[in-house]
Amino acid sequence: MRIATAKESYAADEALFKTDTQRVWFAALIVALFAYPLIGSGYWMFLAVLVMINVISTTGLNILTGYTGQVSLGHAAFMAVGAYCVAFFDGRFGTPVLLNLVIAGAIAAAIGILVGLPSLRIKGLYLAIATLAASVILHFVFLNWTPVTGGLRGLNVPTASVLGIELATPERLYWLIMPIAVVMVLAARNLFRTRIGRAFIAIRDRDISAEIIGIPLFKYKLISFAISSFYAGVAGGLWAYLFRVVTPESFPALASIFFLAAVIVGGAGTIVGAIFGAVFMTLVPELLKLIAALITPWYPDAPIYLAPVRNVVFGVLIVGFLIFEPMGLAEMWRRIRRFFALWPFRT
Amino acid sequence: MFANIDLVDLVETSLAGLGTGALLALTGVAFVIIYKATKVINLAIGEMLMVGAFVFYGFSAGLALPIWAAIPATLVVAALVGGVIERLMIRPLMKDNPISVFMVTIGLSSILIGLAEIIWTAEPRRLPEFLPSQPVIIGEAFVASKTAYSFLIAAAVVSALITVFAFWRGGVALRATATDRAAASSVGINVAGVFSFSWMLASVVAALAGILVGSVGGISSAMGLFGLSVFVVVILGGLDSIAGALIAGLFVGWLEAMVGRVFGGEFKLVATFSILLIVLTVRPYGLFGTHEIERL
């Protein structure tokens, strides 16, 4: 039972972990992440790795959309850029894995800045359509820049290997992806304790006021685009190592909507929200698969309807959360936490 | 890459492009109706068109209704669909920020695609032939009859809509609501009714466009992609200008046809979206749109 948390300084209010309870829970989470491979295997490890890649990417989109208020419909295209970079550099030059991931993030960030350029003139919905345009153009580049992207057939990605150890299976990739995911999520959390992150929030809340108090809007919008695409690029690179092949169809426009949905469902503008959203949205299709498998004996057509039902469920989740719980799962989580923090005095 | 193109070829391609352009314009008008009245960017307009085409398929091929019955039935269903969407998804969010509403339409497009695939499966289908099949010859140039007739129908509908909005009371109410919601409400305009009506009307227009698009190129659950070009059209023409949608629609259709003919089909979307990016940077409110975007 915790009565209250008195904070005596601004630094304490802004601390990464505000209470001991949070520290304990975070430690528990890290222990769980290290212990998970002991329990999980095969398919479960694959799911864990996929979830973490999506967590990285969703966190990136959340920085742009949730914190800076710039809706992007091209996030999956930035992931694709990262995936192609990894495939190209690892396949062509055999550069080390971590370097590839940094290159993937950097190139994605550079393209993100390019795509963010129109944000000088336009915002909101227009910007969303501009990013959609950018993703159409990027898709065209993937399809037609055959010497680099392999055209329609795409590129095969060599097995990731760190310090001579081949990371061929999800079990092994887990030890590459999990630390990166943890570090990147913590970095995002920390970002919003800095000047840059604060500026993002100010731009989201009221761009005109932000300009007046001396935030150069254009610069910070571009920084936001860059950071967000960097996350997408790294996630895309990890995705390439997991699936080992990248084609123009790997990241359809629907994937951008998937990440936007994850941000909305999780809760835009919160770090836990991006995590919840990515986990939830990744696992819902798996749950649907499970249900389809369960009802197949009675209803043999069930697997055929899996893809369309998935579409409907995605849509209903986006619409439902926006109407009934606009702050997303993060808000539910906050209510639960508050219940326990106030218990037994107020419920 | 560069095919040999003579004059007749050029004219034929242009005419075919204008045919598609008329359909783009029609869909663009549907988009503009919604935007004008409710200030909602409807990203699901392509999917509403797709649903209209599938409903028509259901009536004409599934229930084997004759054309003169199937088309009105489709339009009635489309109006209902539009009304239901407005009531269930748009109205609860009307007071929220526009970006939430915009994201709701993204969810809506996903729902519509899923429902269409559940009911009619993802396989492409052909609509029954109902337009005369005799090709139209203008000078030396051949125009496929479907293209020509759908152009005529689309042109007739768009001009009817422009007239209606200029003179009919409901059209005036819609424009009043578009200009100032509170003021319109205070002079006795039923704003909620205008919202409902605009979604129903837009849904009807989109369904009509869907029937025409489907009769030219067949229907599939992916035909909502047609909507991508429509966004280019409406941004080019200005989000709230019906005449802008008309002109930009014809232009984009013509451009896509020319680019497709000269460089190949895969260049179409890139060309239009490159234009979109240029327009967004140079003239974000479009050719005829209201100048309301702040520059920061």
Side-chain angles (χ1 to χ4, degrees), chain A residues 120-121 126 133 140 207 264 311, chain B residues 103 110 239 270 273 281 296:
Chain A
L120 171 67
R121 298 288 302 265
Y126 289 83
F140 176 80
D207 45 7
I264 295 170
N311 273 334
Chain B
M103 289 186 185
S110 184
L239 288 180
V270 182
F273 272 93
T281 325
L296 289 165

Side-chain angles (χ1 to χ4, degrees), chain A residues 10-346:
Chain A
Y10 186 65
D13 195 37
E14 281 299 302
L16 200 52
F17 300 106
K18 292 187 185 69
T19 61
D20 285 335
T21 328
Q22 277 181 331
R23 273 188 206 95
V24 171
W25 278 113
F26 185 73
L29 174 70
I30 296 294
V31 170
L33 285 176
F34 275 93
Y36 183 79
L38 300 177
I39 330 163
S41 62
Y43 177 65
W44 290 102
M45 289 307 290
F46 168 79
L47 273 189
V49 173
L50 190 63
V51 162
M52 285 176 181
I53 291 172
N54 287 341
V55 165
I56 297 175
S57 186
T58 309
T59 304
L61 183 60
N62 200 14
I63 291 173
L64 184 65
T65 300
Y67 280 102
T68 323
Q70 318 274 305
V71 182
S72 165
L73 284 174
H75 202 64
F78 298 134
M79 269 186 90
V81 169
Y84 272 111
C85 283
V86 160
F88 181 76
F89 281 96
D90 207 332
R92 195 70 64 88
F93 306 114
T95 38
V97 168
L98 290 177
L99 179 64
N100 288 333
L101 291 174
V102 172
I103 295 174
I107 294 182
I111 294 180
I113 290 177
L114 211 59
V115 172
L117 283 178
S119 69
L120 171 67
R121 298 288 302 265
I122 55 178
K123 59 182 195 181
L125 316 153
Y126 289 83
L127 185 63
I129 292 175
T131 54
L132 182 71
S135 82
V136 168
I137 291 169
L138 280 175
H139 185 264
F140 176 80
V141 171
F142 300 145
L143 203 56
N144 287 284
W145 196 14
T146 317
V148 172
T149 64
L152 191 59
R153 288 192 14 250
L155 293 175
N156 287 314
V157 184
T159 317
S161 82
V162 177
L163 303 172
I165 305 166
E166 296 260 302
L167 306 175
T169 58
E171 280 87 349
R172 292 190 170 181
L173 271 171
Y174 183 84
W175 296 108
L176 173 70
I177 295 175
M178 187 269 284
I180 294 180
V182 171
V183 168
M184 291 188 86
V185 169
L186 279 181
R189 179 78 177 81
N190 250 318
L191 177 68
F192 295 101
R193 299 169 62 209
T194 66
R195 188 184 185 83
I196 299 175
R198 294 277 142 198
F200 290 173
I201 296 173
I203 292 174
R204 174 194 66 191
D205 287 346
R206 198 89 186 100
D207 45 7
I208 297 171
S209 315
E211 173 103 81
I212 290 168
I213 58 171
I215 296 168
L217 284 187
F218 190 45
K219 179 180 149 199
Y220 279 101
K221 279 181 179 174
L222 289 189
I223 294 177
S224 180
F225 264 99
I227 296 177
S228 155
S229 335
F230 181 86
Y231 273 69
V234 171
L238 294 170
W239 190 95
Y241 280 126
L242 177 62
F243 287 94
R244 308 272 301 282
V245 61
V246 188
T247 70
E249 304 309 319
S250 298
F251 296 93
L254 194 68
S256 292
I257 293 174
F258 171 89
F259 290 111
L260 204 52
V263 168
I264 295 170
V265 169
T270 53
I271 294 294
V272 278
I275 302 173
F276 284 151
V279 173
F280 188 79
M281 294 303 283
T282 317
L283 296 185
V284 161
E286 302 303 321
L287 192 69
L288 289 179
K289 262 186 218 164
L290 201 70
I291 295 173
L294 284 178
I295 64 171
T296 305
W298 291 278
Y299 190 65
D301 282 347
I304 302 172
Y305 290 107
L306 200 58
V309 167
R310 212 182 96 145
N311 273 334
V312 174
V313 170
F314 270 161
V316 169
L317 282 173
I318 298 180
V319 174
F321 267 95
L322 279 169
I323 295 179
F324 299 110
E325 191 73 83
M327 303 299 283
L329 292 168
E331 177 65 18
M332 295 183 178
W333 173 243
R334 213 176 58 82
R335 279 205 294 267
I336 295 171
R337 277 178 50 196
R338 185 146 71 183
F339 174 84
F340 283 105
L342 297 177
W343 189 87
F345 297 112
R346 227 178 106 203

Side-chain angles (χ1 to χ4, degrees), chain B residues 273-288:
Chain B
F273 272 93
S274 308
I275 288 197
L276 173 73
L277 281 184
I278 295 168
V279 171
L280 279 175
T281 325
V282 180
R283 213 180 148 85
Y285 35 78
L287 298 177
F288 303 96

